[in-house]
């Protein structure tokens, strides 16, 4: 298949053969050993052998198998173990932990690769007629549990892998819109738009391995969301195949025609239907771009600087302010091979020594757009940053960050080899609540990790995705688990940490999720988040569009 | 009542005593006489006497009347003819024409003024228990038919006038959010925010007489929507009382927690429930502001200039490009008393004479924000405008436009006194379709007005509300109707014109409405606009939230 380069290895992130580049980061391993309270030669725990994983036998009736093959072509219906295993889970910690341990109690009974809208309509019809259920699947990078079969669903489960639907159907250069199929991966989108001088400008951390449809289904956020918005802000129109018919929305710049159907469909996580086309707002490739890294004496200083720049109207296109702990990891993880040491080390030392900064906080910031206007924007923002004692490490450091920004999931997989729980958690809140929420969440994580594992672990955080009214708060955690735990016990330790953090987010005014989605991970909190009546009304929409509940029964609405 | 200054006269726009200032616009009347093909001394047709209007008797059962009075206080339940009449209709041409002719076949049976969220909950409960129906009512400026009782609804109808709920409940200066009650009028919002250095920045043409709740319920757009968005972009969280319970959404900067409930509730035109609180995104009062007026040799030149400025990233905060016909009206309607003649007349003459511009097209444009950044933005935009042969009439002309921008509805009422049909129609489309849609719509209007009335009429248009992907296309029309027509025949002539224009909008890829809403005026096209399955799903939401159909049965979903 043409998109095989975007296919994950069965046990982790990214394709076979690509792993975290530890060699060019000489400071990282010693930092890990110290932070992780590892001994001298920590034990490695590789994944189980593929051959040893026993998938539950496929429930797909022969008659449905034949009908599906007739509908989409024989080669596009897969019932082999490898395809089924790759489509069992997303790529959350819980997912990868189960895969590495070979825990698979439920798998899709077939994986179908539709070639276009009409194929999807046919598969939807067959799914309904044969009493099966259907899970749309993009790149499989989801970490909230949005693509997994429901444990208690007795029906045959078909996973619909959308990667063959990867075309740009129409581009309207004048209107700056592009009609795209949902199975198109991040790099494919940019490659299709670039010859027209256009860009979508949506770069989530999963960019290389995730699809437009997956982004839309989960309300994904790209690094430059400050100026281009989250994916929901980029959707102008959609075609969605539901079990009861096709919904089409007109690709208008704006409208006043009742509730916004696009925003009812965006974020529906495959529970209402299958997206087969999206008209996306795109923009010219920026004339000018400036990535750089700055250091603040403390996270609080950086916070004040960011908040003021937003308030004063100087919104950078990207901003990512790391707390002191995450800044420590960034420095430890810096590569030596690209001259970044020279760029980073000297000023850092100078800061630490001369200015008596304690533990600095790094801000990665970018400005992009028309040259003169963007320079003026940068000037204004930098003036505010400097007022708050920012030290500018320059564009080299920013470019280095940009180059390695998609690497973190590989580090997660690397760390899992050493018996750890490693996860990312995220929320969002208004500016006035960001520091209180940060303090409460960090305290919760510190306590729960210690209580559950007996280790201190690593807890790093950053603020990113700025809005006029607030921002996203993002955590990366890593801790050894209790020694001698079974895989099931490890997953329960993970779940305790995840539960405590999520509870704190929701209790303290944070979003249940800012861009990872709901899935089964966050579903228990959904009624507290959207109010009981709010969730009930979504369930009614679900009942109306999908009366037999065939769409993604393990997902958003259960 | 404190908000009585925002109350319309029973037969038209704005409070008693305020009318269109024709005296200080000496060129306007001759222009009207010529354009309108009026004779020397056209007949005036004043509204019917109030006393002659026979309202249908109130159907409100005594027991419900007593219960409502107990729930919200006796003085807040009105059953008198004047209150009922004022709440019969919005302020569309059709509405005002009926009022002026005394055509009232259906009126609310009581008008209730709730004092807060709990009052609304109580009234909702009583409405359900007593088998009545309920229509939320803000300023009553709606021109799509969103506040009118359904002709065939046999139940008692209660109109809920929200104007007592006009408080700012919370302002969070750090997060730039404000919790507002829905009955607060435009000027009240700005007055409440100004002491905190903040502004909502939402100025629709109805600003003075319309409420936040009405804006949210109909997806209103303010003149500065280019930078602050439409009202739906400003809503962070809401409380909505539905017949089956209260929906509350968290006021987050962004979230990934399923479909966006806010966007399901915004634009629901009172058919799902009653908004009792909205957390709005606000912003600092701009440090710098620059309104100005420019002339282009033609509408096409202006269009190219605007499109290029958006494409190149130089988005003005306000832009309103009038076609040649509307520019003619603007010049005719200029005041002499404020020195604008001097500002306009000389350069216009110079243009016309020296540069041989045919009929120029006026662009009103504004830039606002932080001083230096905004100046750079203006510089970039003006450079593009000048490339397309813009002649800068300067800030005085822009300020004059700003001062009189809320006057147009008064001119509509003035013209109705002379036996005319006068209406505004609006749509939106992508950039590549704007000129084709403009041509098709103008041609349709020209043909239908001639066919239906026998007159040429006035057809003026402008582009406003710019987006990356397109803009709003707005028409103002005025024509004499067939001489000797009865009021019913006049309304049918109006309806024929409205139908033909709407049909062209929808057929040619325009929005059914960009910011006026659906109501009964646009409902016949709703399924073509949102797809059959799309409307069906909204009806299911309606059935779920309001199973007995008590909310605004004459509105959006019928």
């Amino acid at each position: 298949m043409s998109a095989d380069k975007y296919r994950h290895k069965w046990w982790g992130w990214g394709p076979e053969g690509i792993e975290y580049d530890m060699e060019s980061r000489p400071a990282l391993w010693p930092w890990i050993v110290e932070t992780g309270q590892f001994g001298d030669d920590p034990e490695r725990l590789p994944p189980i052998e593929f051959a040893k994983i026993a998938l539950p036998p496929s429930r797909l009736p022969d008659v449905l198998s034949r009908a599906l093959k007739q509908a989409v072509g024989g080669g596009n219906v897969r019932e082999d173990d490898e395809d089924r295993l790759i489509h069992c889970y997303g790529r959350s910690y819980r997912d990868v932990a189960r895969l590495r341990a070979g825990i698979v109690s439920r798998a899709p009974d077939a994986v179908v690769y539709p070639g276009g809208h009409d194929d999807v309509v046919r598969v939807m019809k067959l799914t309904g007629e044969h009493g099966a259920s259907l899970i749309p699947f993009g790149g499989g990078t989801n970490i909230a549990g949005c693509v997994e079969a429901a444990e208690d669903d007795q029906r045959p489960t078909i996973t619909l892998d959308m990667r063959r639907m990867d075309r740009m159907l129409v581009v309207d250069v004048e209107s700056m819109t592009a009609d795209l199929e949902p199975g198109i991966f991040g790099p494919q989108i940019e490659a299709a738009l670039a010859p027209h001088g256009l860009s979508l400008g949506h770069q989530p951390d999963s960019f290389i391995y995730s699809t437009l449809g997956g982004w839309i289904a989960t309300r994904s956020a790209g690094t430059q969301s400050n100026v281009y918005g989250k994916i929901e802000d980029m959707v102008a129109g959609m075609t969605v195949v539901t079990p009861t018919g096709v919904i089409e929305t007109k690709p208008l710049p704006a409208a006043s025609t009742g509730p916004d159907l696009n925003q009812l469909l965006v974020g529906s996580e495959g529970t209402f239907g299958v997206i087969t086309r999206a008209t996306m707002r795109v923009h010219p490739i920026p004339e000018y771009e400036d990535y750089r890294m700055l250091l603040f004496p403390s996270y609080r200083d950086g916070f004040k600087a960011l908040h003021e720049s937003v308030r004063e109207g100087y919104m950078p296109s990207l901003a990512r302010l790391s707390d002191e702990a995450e800044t420590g990891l960034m420095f430890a993880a810096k590569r030596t091979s690209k001259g970044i040491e020279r760029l980073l080390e000297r000023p850092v030392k100078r800061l630490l020594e001369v200015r008596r900064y304690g533990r600095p906080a790094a801000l990665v910031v970018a400005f992009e757009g028309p040259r003169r206007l963007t320079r003026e924007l940068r000037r204004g923002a930098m003036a505010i940053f400097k007022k708050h004692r920012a030290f500018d490490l320059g564009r080299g450091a920013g470019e280095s960050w940009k180059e390695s920004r998609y690497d973190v999931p590989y580090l997660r997989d690397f760390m899992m080899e050493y018996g750890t729980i490693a996860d990312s958690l995220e929320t969002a809140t208004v500016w006035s609540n960001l520091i209180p929420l940060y303090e409460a969440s960090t305290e919760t994580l510190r306590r729960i990790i210690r209580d559950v594992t007996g280790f201190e672990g690593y807890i790093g955080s950053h603020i990113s995705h700025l809005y006029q009214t607030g921002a996203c708060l993002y955590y990366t955690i890593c801790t050894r688990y209790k020694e001698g735990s079974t895989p099931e016990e490890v997953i329960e330790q993970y779940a305790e940490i995840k539960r405590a953090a999520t509870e704190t987010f929701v209790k303290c005014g944070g979003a249940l999720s800012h861009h990872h989605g709901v899935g089964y991970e966050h579903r228990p909190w959904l009624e507290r988040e959207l109010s009981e009546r709010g969730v009930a009304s979504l369930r009614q929409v679900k009942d109306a569009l999908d009366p037999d509940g065939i769409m993604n029964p393990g997902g958003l609405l259960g």
Side-chain angles (χ1 to χ4, degrees), chain A:
Chain A
M1 229 159 266
S2 69
D4 269 359
K5 62 180 165 179
Y6 304 120
R7 170 161 294 202
H8 295 297
K9 45 180 90 87
W10 69 263
W11 55 269
W13 189 266
E16 290 291 350
I18 304 190
E19 289 177 24
Y20 193 70
D21 174 16
M22 191 58 81
E23 272 179 34
S24 68
R25 294 171 165 107
L28 186 52
W29 182 247
W31 182 90
I32 289 171
V33 169
E34 192 194 325
T35 310
Q37 302 168 258
F38 285 102
D40 275 350
D41 190 16
E43 190 191 358
R44 297 187 69 150
L45 303 158
I48 192 173
E49 282 169 52
F50 178 76
K52 288 194 180 154
I53 301 176
L55 258 67
S58 172
R59 305 174 189 185
L60 195 75
D62 282 350
V63 56
L64 178 52
S65 171
R66 279 194 303 274
L68 288 169
K69 283 172 183 157
Q70 204 167 13
V72 302
N76 298 314
V77 179
R78 305 278 180 87
E79 299 167 70
D80 58 283
D81 277 3
E82 191 178 346
D83 238 305
R84 291 175 63 211
L85 183 68
I86 286 174
H87 293 88
C88 268
Y89 301 129
R91 282 295 176 271
S92 72
Y93 174 78
R94 194 196 293 255
D95 295 336
V96 176
R98 285 184 294 179
L99 285 168
R100 293 177 66 98
I103 301 172
V104 182
S105 58
R106 189 80 171 80
D109 301 293
V111 181
V112 174
Y113 295 82
H117 173 85
D118 294 344
D119 275 4
V120 174
V121 172
R122 279 189 285 267
V123 172
M124 181 72 77
K125 192 158 172 285
L126 289 171
T127 305
E129 285 170 1
H130 290 264
S133 51
L134 197 63
I135 303 174
F137 192 102
T141 58
N142 181 267
I143 63 169
C146 295
V147 293
E148 188 170 334
E151 194 68 47
D152 58 356
D153 186 14
Q154 301 304 316
R155 296 169 293 187
T157 298
I158 299 163
T159 287
L160 205 60
D161 187 315
M162 304 299 289
R163 69 186 59 213
R164 282 178 64 215
M165 292 176 63
D166 62 356
R167 289 169 300 177
M168 180 162 77
L169 302 170
V170 180
V171 60
D172 178 346
V173 175
E174 273 185 80
S175 307
M176 293 183 275
T177 62
D179 281 24
L180 299 163
E181 287 188 312
I184 189 166
F185 284 82
Q188 292 177 305
I189 296 173
E190 293 301 325
L193 290 169
H196 303 279
L198 298 171
S199 167
L200 180 63
H202 186 80
Q203 270 115 21
D205 290 351
S206 63
F207 176 71
I208 299 170
Y209 304 112
S210 55
T211 64
L212 178 67
W215 299 342
I216 294 174
T218 56
R219 297 187 172 263
S220 163
T223 48
Q224 316 258 2
S225 67
N226 301 7
V227 285
Y228 303 125
K230 286 180 71 197
I231 201 77
E232 56 261 42
D233 305 307
M234 303 181 187
V235 176
M238 296 168 81
T239 304
V240 177
V241 177
T242 82
T244 47
V246 175
I247 300 183
E248 268 198 82
T249 64
K250 253 173 155 175
L252 297 165
S256 169
T257 49
D260 186 345
L261 282 178
N262 283 334
Q263 295 305 323
L264 184 66
L265 297 165
V266 175
S268 57
E269 301 186 3
T271 56
F272 292 165
V274 181
I275 304 162
T276 58
R277 180 197 59 88
T279 304
M280 304 302 295
R281 301 184 171 110
V282 298
H283 59 265
I285 294 170
E287 186 189 11
Y288 179 77
E289 186 184 271
D290 180 323
Y291 277 75
R292 55 184 66 221
M293 196 185 285
L294 293 81
L295 289 184
F296 287 95
S298 75
Y299 182 58
R300 294 297 193 288
D301 290 305
F303 172 81
K304 282 184 208 151
L306 269 193
H307 187 191
E308 188 173 329
S309 71
V310 172
R311 199 185 149 82
E312 297 296 318
Y314 292 91
M315 176 72 94
S317 58
L318 176 156
R320 190 177 179 281
L321 173 69
S322 299
D323 70 356
E324 294 86 350
E326 190 175 270
T327 304
L329 169 57
M330 285 167 79
F331 288 174
K334 68 188 183 295
R335 292 175 196 263
T336 52
S337 55
K338 300 199 175 178
I340 183 170
E341 188 174 40
R342 196 166 31 82
L343 285 161
L344 270 180
E345 201 80 340
R346 270 189 304 164
V348 171
K349 278 195 180 144
R350 212 175 111 197
L351 277 174
L352 293 176
E353 290 165 14
V354 179
R355 298 198 183 181
R356 296 172 201 268
Y357 280 30
R359 297 165 67 207
L363 172 68
V364 177
V365 69
F367 304 92
E368 66 176 57
R371 186 176 308 275
R372 284 182 61 170
L373 188 60
T374 306
R375 281 189 175 154
E376 179 54 37
L377 176 66
R378 186 193 61 194
R379 186 208 56 75
M382 293 294 282
I384 293 167
F385 297 160
K386 285 187 175 156
K387 201 176 93 184
H388 292 276
R389 302 174 62 201
F391 185 93
D392 186 359
L393 295 173
R395 297 178 72 163
E399 290 295 328
S400 293
W401 176 85
K402 190 181 170 192
E403 272 169 39
S404 59
R405 68 187 147 161
Y406 302 131
D407 292 353
V408 173
Y410 292 106
L411 180 58
R412 191 262 316 258
D413 286 0
F414 177 91
M415 289 309 303
M416 287 180 72
E417 191 97 5
Y418 290 92
T420 61
I421 293 166
D423 197 23
S424 57
L425 306 142
E426 46 86 53
T427 180
T429 194
V430 292
W431 287 108
S432 63
N433 192 40
L434 262 167
I435 292 293
L437 183 62
Y438 168 73
E439 285 173 350
S441 308
T442 305
E443 180 47 39
T444 294
L445 283 165
R446 213 171 266 146
R447 180 185 51 73
I448 192 78
I449 288 174
R450 198 187 301 126
D451 288 358
V452 166
T453 69
F455 291 98
E456 292 298 316
Y458 161 79
I459 303 165
S461 182
H462 62 256
I463 286 172
S464 53
H465 307 289
L466 310 188
Y467 304 88
Q468 188 188 338
T469 61
C472 168
L473 182 64
Y474 195 101
Y475 282 91
T476 312
I477 59 164
C478 187
T479 177
R480 292 173 65 188
Y481 48 72
K482 262 192 206 144
E483 250 168 298
S485 304
T486 65
E488 287 78 5
E489 286 166 350
V490 172
I491 289 169
E492 185 43 39
Q493 289 165 41
Y494 158 77
E496 274 196 64
I497 295 167
K498 173 82 182 166
R499 269 196 299 272
T502 307
E503 183 61 31
T504 301
F505 290 162
V506 172
K507 201 178 67 188
C508 299
L512 177 54
S513 170
H514 168 265
H515 59 270
H516 284 165
V518 180
Y520 63 74
E521 286 284 5
H522 299 133
R523 200 170 55 209
W525 288 268
L526 195 61
E527 298 206 329
R528 277 171 64 195
E529 187 73 5
L530 303 181
S531 77
E532 208 180 304
R533 194 59 245 161
V535 175
S537 61
L538 293 183
R539 281 191 211 282
Q540 297 277 2
V541 177
K542 163 86 174 165
D543 289 347
L545 294 174
D546 178 20
D548 298 322
I550 68 176
M551 290 306 306
N552 204 7
L556 177 65
L557 296 170

